[in-house]
């Protein structure tokens, strides 16, 4: 592999662009395809398929087996609520390779002291998510318990096809949430995609354990997501 | 930023430090292979490595081959599997088979 091709590949990955490195095992020659940039005609069909599936493998091109190694942007988490649980999430998420953004308009909670080194935005989700768009590679976990803060983010996450949408709260709390979302025009089918109560059932008790349960549920949702898009 | 170890970033860093580097890539798998196609192990000229192409079963053999590739400059395709015990001293205890491509970073 050429070092300049490796550098181009790593640069694309750093900027959250999908990228394929093609290697011809017979000659050792490599080629880099960045999503959105022109692709040689004979590679176009295979490249599109690999970008969509996210699966690397050997593909026959004009009788030659070429290895398509695809790198999709790493999934990231947007957490609504600068609370004790998200302090735990801020420590756990980097270990499994997830970027994390925390949004909370309550400046008493969203302080740099409580979230050192974390991408923390002390503003309303309505305002933040206009600038920082959600996408299918993003998981949204709403954990403030406050409908004024959580509801918009949940509806927006469902609208944008986030691969995971989770909301903290008891079944009773979630029942009232469902009523509010229905009133605001979100469909029942969409609402059914919300993970609530949030987190895998591991009997989590402490905030850190709940953070682990949420993260594990996010990993499961990403690894088992359907390619047609949207939360599972 | 994530703190997950990234073999391809390591390979680029090592190369820019002037170290010789080989990159091993899982290109095909059959059966219950521990790491999917596209997984990387990167090796420098002194046998330092990062990443994985199996669950630790064949890394030793890949590193040995990688040192050859660094010296010769010619890429190699390696096959590992339970059926290949005559060809390779090491195999995959899980019963799967994998094909690993080893190349030098130039």
């Amino acid at each position: 592999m050429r070092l300049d091709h490796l550098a181009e590949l790593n640069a694309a990955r750093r900027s959250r662009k999908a990228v394929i490195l093609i290697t011809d095992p017979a000659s050792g020659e490599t080629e880099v395809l960045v999503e959105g940039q022109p692709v040689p005609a004979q590679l176009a069909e295979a490249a599109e398929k690999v970008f969509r599936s996210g699966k690397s493998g050997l593909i026959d091109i004009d009788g030659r087996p070429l290895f398509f190694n695809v790198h999709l942007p790493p999934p990231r988490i947007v957490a609504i609520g600068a609370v004790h649980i998200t302090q735990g999430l801020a420590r756990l998420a980097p270990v499994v390779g997830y970027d994390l953004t925390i949004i909370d308009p309550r400046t008493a909670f969203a302080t740099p002291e409580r979230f050192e080194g974390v991408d923390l935005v002390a503003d309303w989700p309505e305002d933040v998510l206009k600038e920082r768009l959600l996408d299918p590679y993003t998981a949204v976990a709403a954990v403030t318990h406050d409908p004024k803060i959580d509801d918009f983010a949940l509806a927006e996450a469902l609208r944008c096809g986030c691969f995971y949408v989770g909301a903290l709260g008891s079944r009773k709390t979630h029942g009232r949430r469902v009523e509010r979302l229905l009133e605001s025009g979100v469909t029942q089918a969409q609402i059914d995609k919300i993970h609530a109560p949030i987190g895998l059932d591991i009997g989590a008790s402490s905030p850190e354990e709940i953070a682990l349960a949420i993260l594990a549920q996010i990993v499961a949702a990403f690894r088992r997501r359907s390619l047609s898009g949207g939360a599972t | 930023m994530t703190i997950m170890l990234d073999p391809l970033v390591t390979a680029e860093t090592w190369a820019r430090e002037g170290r010789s580097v080989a990159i091993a890539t899982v290109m095909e798998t059959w059966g219950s292979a521990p790491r999917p196609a596209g997984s990387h192990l990167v090796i420098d000229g002194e046998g330092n490595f990062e990443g994985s192409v199996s669950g630790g079963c064949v890394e030793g053999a890949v590193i040995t081959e990688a040192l050859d590739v660094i010296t010769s400059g010619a890429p190699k395709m390696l096959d590992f599997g339970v059926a290949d015990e005559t060809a390779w001293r090491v195999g995959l205890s899980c019963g799967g088979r994998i094909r690993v491509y080893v190349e030098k970073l130039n």
Side-chain angles (χ1 to χ4, degrees):
Chain A
M1 192 192 301
R2 281 164 43 181
L3 178 57
D4 60 330
H5 282 174
L6 177 62
E8 192 183 348
L9 172 70
N10 283 338
R13 292 164 69 217
R14 268 193 299 278
S15 56
R16 283 186 75 79
K17 284 189 186 137
V19 58
I20 300 174
L21 178 80
I22 299 177
T23 304
D24 181 348
S27 68
E29 277 174 31
T30 50
E31 187 161 353
V32 179
L33 301 182
V34 180
E35 195 172 33
Q37 288 177 11
V39 175
Q42 75 273 20
L43 300 175
E45 193 186 332
E48 197 197 324
K49 191 175 133 215
V50 171
F51 272 132
R52 193 159 354 111
S53 73
K55 286 238 185 331
S56 301
L58 287 159
I59 300 176
D60 238 40
I61 304 289
D62 302 333
R64 282 184 313 161
L66 301 181
F67 186 68
F68 284 63
N69 202 353
V70 61
H71 300 261
L72 298 182
R76 61 179 161 189
I77 301 169
V78 171
I80 309 300
V83 297
H84 199 162
I85 291 171
T86 39
Q87 285 178 296
L89 198 57
R91 295 177 149 205
L92 294 172
V95 176
V96 289
Y98 280 54
D99 286 331
L100 174 68
T101 297
I102 297 174
I103 302 171
D104 195 327
R106 301 168 300 178
T107 48
F109 285 83
T111 68
E113 291 74 30
R114 285 159 46 80
F115 291 91
E116 202 185 331
V118 177
D119 180 25
L120 177 70
V121 191
D123 213 336
W124 289 90
E126 285 89 320
D127 298 323
V128 181
L129 298 180
K130 252 186 262 163
E131 303 278 312
R132 303 185 178 208
L133 301 177
L134 299 173
D135 64 39
Y137 296 104
T138 304
V140 171
V143 294
T144 70
H145 281 121
D146 184 340
K148 290 197 303 297
I149 306 173
D150 284 349
D151 280 9
F152 174 84
L154 291 171
E156 186 67 2
L158 293 170
R159 195 182 68 79
C160 296
C162 291
F163 72 87
Y164 173 90
V165 185
L168 186 72
S170 65
R171 287 187 170 78
K172 205 169 142 194
T173 306
H174 187 60
R176 287 195 294 269
R177 178 186 292 131
V178 169
E179 284 171 24
R180 288 193 308 273
L181 289 173
L182 282 171
E183 274 170 33
S184 76
V186 181
T187 66
Q188 185 65 50
Q190 295 245 282
I191 290 170
D192 290 344
K193 293 177 178 171
I194 300 176
H195 292 267
I198 200 170
L200 282 191
D201 183 6
I202 56 170
S205 172
S206 70
E208 291 80 4
E209 288 171 2
I210 295 169
L212 179 64
I214 294 171
L215 186 59
Q217 194 170 46
I218 289 173
V219 170
F222 186 71
R223 290 300 177 191
R224 295 176 181 153
R225 76 196 189 284
S226 70
L227 291 173
S228 51
T232 49
Chain B
M1 272 313 288
T2 69
I3 54 172
M4 196 169 60
L5 298 173
D6 186 324
L8 292 182
V9 172
T10 301
E12 187 182 343
T13 308
W14 283 353
R16 295 200 188 286
E17 287 169 0
R19 293 152 83 168
S20 307
V21 180
I23 298 177
T25 307
V26 178
M27 285 205 171
E28 278 186 287
T29 70
W30 298 264
S32 67
R35 299 282 284 125
S39 303
H40 291 293
L41 175 71
V42 302
I43 306 99
D44 80 357
E46 291 176 352
N48 297 301
F49 65 95
E50 198 171 293
S52 62
V53 290
S54 73
C57 319
V58 303
E59 271 75 2
V62 173
I63 290 163
T64 308
E65 294 293 330
L67 296 176
D68 274 359
V69 168
I70 286 174
T71 310
S72 72
K76 279 189 186 181
M77 190 72 92
L78 311 174
D79 286 292
F80 296 100
V82 280
D84 295 350
E85 277 169 278
T86 48
W88 296 96
R89 286 190 307 279
V90 289
L92 294 168
S93 53
C94 51
R97 283 203 294 140
I98 58 172
R99 178 167 267 195
V100 179
Y101 180 74
V102 187
E103 65 192 312
K104 189 177 182 181
L105 182 60
N106 292 305

